[in-house]
């Protein structure tokens, strides 16, 4: 199940990925207030990265771990990322180039 997809902005790449308003928050393992760490498998390579998901100013954001992912994958403004739940607490992020 797709949790969200978003076209990246320069702010998303430099600081944190603020999730869209239509994010399916019930698909994330929140159990009350506070931050969670989500193990995300990146693309087809299968590399897993733990990313912190936090409530910031009433919205969800991927914080710690996100900027490193963006740099390592050489993401650019305009690229589109999607996060999907694969069940059993597993998540996968895919990337489409915005220039394609």
């Amino acid at each position: 199940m797709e949790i969200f997809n978003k076209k990246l902005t320069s702010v998303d790449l430099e600081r944190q990925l603020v999730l869209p308003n239509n994010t399916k928050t019930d698909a994330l393992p929140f159990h009350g207030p506070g931050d969670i760490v989500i193990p995300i498998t990146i693309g087809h390579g299968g590399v897993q990265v733990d990313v912190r998901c936090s409530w910031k100013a009433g919205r969800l954001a991927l914080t710690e771990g996100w900027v490193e992912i963006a740099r390592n994958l050489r993401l650019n403004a305009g690229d589109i990322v999607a996060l999907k739940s694969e069940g059993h607490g597993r998540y996968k992020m895919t990337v489409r180039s915005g220039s394609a």
Side-chain angles (χ1 to χ4, degrees):
M1 165 189 16
E2 185 170 278
I3 298 171
F4 75 85
N5 69 62
K6 183 176 184 185
K7 187 174 187 176
L8 299 175
T9 66
S10 59
V11 173
D12 293 328
L13 298 170
E14 296 167 5
R15 297 179 32 204
Q16 62 188 8
L17 176 60
V18 175
L19 305 187
N21 290 330
N22 63 348
T23 297
K24 294 180 176 75
T25 56
D26 57 332
L28 296 171
F30 279 101
H31 303 288
D35 297 353
I36 58 172
V37 175
I38 303 172
I40 298 176
T41 302
I42 307 298
H44 301 293
V47 174
Q48 184 173 306
V49 179
D50 289 337
V51 179
R52 183 168 300 278
C53 188
S54 307
W55 288 100
K56 299 282 185 182
R59 295 192 60 194
L60 278 175
L62 298 183
T63 56
E64 291 176 31
W66 163 250
V67 172
E68 291 78 13
I69 289 172
R71 286 185 185 140
N72 289 336
L73 294 178
R74 297 183 177 146
L75 298 177
N76 296 299
D79 289 348
I80 299 168
V81 295
L83 183 67
K84 296 179 181 178
S85 171
E86 296 193 314
H88 306 290
R90 296 187 338 226
Y91 301 88
K92 183 172 185 177
M93 182 172 281
T94 56
V95 179
R96 284 195 332 249
S97 173
S99 62

